Amino acid sequence: MQDVVRVACVQAEPVVLDRDATIEKLAALTKDAAAAGAQLVVFPETFVPAYPSSRWAKAFAGWADPRAKEAFALLRRESVEVPGPAERRLGEVAREHGVWLVTGVNEVDPERPGTIYNALLYHAPDGTLAQHHRKLVPTNHERLVWGQGDGGGLRAFDAGLARIGGLICWENYMPLARFALYESGVEIYIASTADDGAEWQSTLVHIARESRAFVVAPSHFQRAAAYPEEFPLAELLEGVDVLGRGGSAILAPDGSYLAGPLYDEEGMLLAELDPARLFAERQRFDPAGHYHRPDIFQLDVTPTRS
């Protein structure tokens, strides 16, 4: 990382369970971010077409519940095939605005389309898919929704403006997954999430201080009123207002906040990431450099797509 990087951390509500409309909303927000000078634009966990809230995803535990089956089929229908037309549209958005675009999606493999994955897609300014990571272990109710991920995308990569990498929500609590990023030289650490609890902010501060990297952490914002009337599990949302209140933030390598946290509304956080701050904080602690003992500790990673 040699120059200041301007980033946009977007907290926006998807057009719930409508993949194409959500991507077009993403395109408009990316245009705004680029107009504000952002070189890197990051959207929340499974922004496309929505994060499966525990309020309704718990119904998947029911045996042969026709409503749950219909809801899963709807989520599957609106998920992003990789490779596929929706994924290429994300690449077009990145290319059109000349930015790095990181998007959380519900993903399906067109060759094995029965399983949905929680994925982060990194599109380069030329529109290519440069990095692709699937959440290693779905959390709690998510295990009723998504399959397990693999080692693809566990290493930070050189995006030109910085070495970038990231993890999704509670896999950020996996020490070895974090260290895979540290060891590969991460400088901008993406921590997309659906965790809107106050405790999550403590996690972000720790990651920033442990990695000595900038942390960009978009969180999902979602209201029950945003669901389509025909949603099969709509009765489980009765009497509910906010399903995800956000908490998006951008942090410096010392754990201080550069922007956010933002709660209870849509918004775009902007910050300038100065490499001088990164290098200054690594004087005392570099987890994969002078504060590492590779002669004692070694991490083996299988960074392949299953």
Side-chain angles (χ1 to χ4, degrees):
M1 188 173 179
Q2 298 299 322
D3 300 309
V4 172
V5 177
R6 189 164 175 81
V7 300
C9 179
V10 182
Q11 180 167 295
E13 187 173 48
V15 183
V16 176
L17 296 172
D18 186 329
R19 176 191 58 233
D20 295 340
T22 297
I23 291 176
E24 291 316 304
K25 180 172 183 175
L26 173 148
L29 290 167
T30 301
K31 179 180 180 180
D32 292 344
Q39 301 157 275
L40 170 66
V41 185
V42 187
F43 285 84
E45 178 179 10
T46 59
F47 179 67
V48 186
Y51 176 78
S53 169
S54 61
R55 290 279 186 174
W56 56 266
K58 62 186 178 183
F60 292 169
W63 190 257
D65 183 337
R67 302 170 307 160
K69 287 185 175 183
E70 187 179 350
F72 185 86
L74 175 60
L75 181 63
R76 161 61 188 87
R77 187 191 76 192
E78 297 299 317
S79 293
V80 176
E81 291 189 346
V82 180
E87 178 269 314
R88 288 192 290 273
R89 173 63 182 133
L90 292 170
E92 290 173 1
V93 172
R95 183 175 64 250
E96 180 179 353
H97 300 293
V99 298
W100 277 94
L101 177 64
V102 184
T103 313
V105 304
N106 288 274
E107 180 221 339
V108 290
D109 181 341
E111 294 186 1
R112 293 179 292 277
T115 298
I116 305 174
Y117 299 95
N118 179 338
L120 273 182
L121 306 181
Y122 299 70
H123 285 91
D126 65 1
T128 58
L129 181 60
Q131 179 90 308
H132 175 193
H133 173 62
R134 290 173 175 167
K135 189 173 184 179
L136 293 167
V137 181
T139 305
N140 198 36
H141 70 282
E142 297 171 356
R143 300 187 188 199
L144 301 169
V145 184
W146 298 316
Q148 288 196 324
D150 50 46
L154 275 180
R155 295 294 196 184
F157 67 98
D158 187 357
L161 46 83
R163 294 192 64 80
I164 300 175
L167 298 172
I168 304 167
C169 205
W170 275 27
E171 66 176 353
N172 283 287
Y173 287 129
M174 301 173 71
L176 299 184
R178 293 200 309 273
F179 191 73
L181 294 179
Y182 303 165
E183 194 173 48
S184 53
V186 67
E187 295 171 317
I188 300 178
Y189 185 122
I190 310 298
S192 65
T193 192
D195 189 335
D196 61 1
E199 297 83 359
W200 179 251
Q201 298 303 318
S202 298
T203 296
L204 296 179
V205 171
H206 173 81
I207 290 172
R209 290 179 59 82
E210 182 180 71
S211 67
R212 289 306 201 258
F214 294 100
V215 175
V216 182
S219 184
H220 89 122
F221 175 71
Q222 190 182 132
R223 298 165 299 166
Y227 277 74
E229 292 183 3
E230 64 274 16
F231 179 56
L233 296 170
E235 66 183 73
L236 297 179
L237 301 178
E238 292 178 0
V240 178
D241 182 13
V242 176
L243 296 171
R245 67 187 185 116
S248 299
I250 305 173
L251 292 85
D254 62 355
S256 63
Y257 284 86
L258 298 174
L262 175 66
Y263 288 106
D264 300 319
E265 62 180 331
E266 295 185 284
M268 182 182 300
L269 303 177
L270 296 165
E272 293 189 346
L273 312 186
D274 186 345
R277 296 195 67 174
L278 184 151
F279 299 134
E281 292 304 324
R282 291 186 177 183
Q283 179 265 325
R284 288 189 296 172
F285 184 82
D286 183 352
H290 63 76
Y291 221 96
H292 181 34
R293 287 294 304 274
D295 56 323
I296 299 173
F297 304 111
Q298 294 185 25
L299 174 64
D300 292 327
V301 179
T302 306
T304 56
R305 177 75 56 229
S306 61

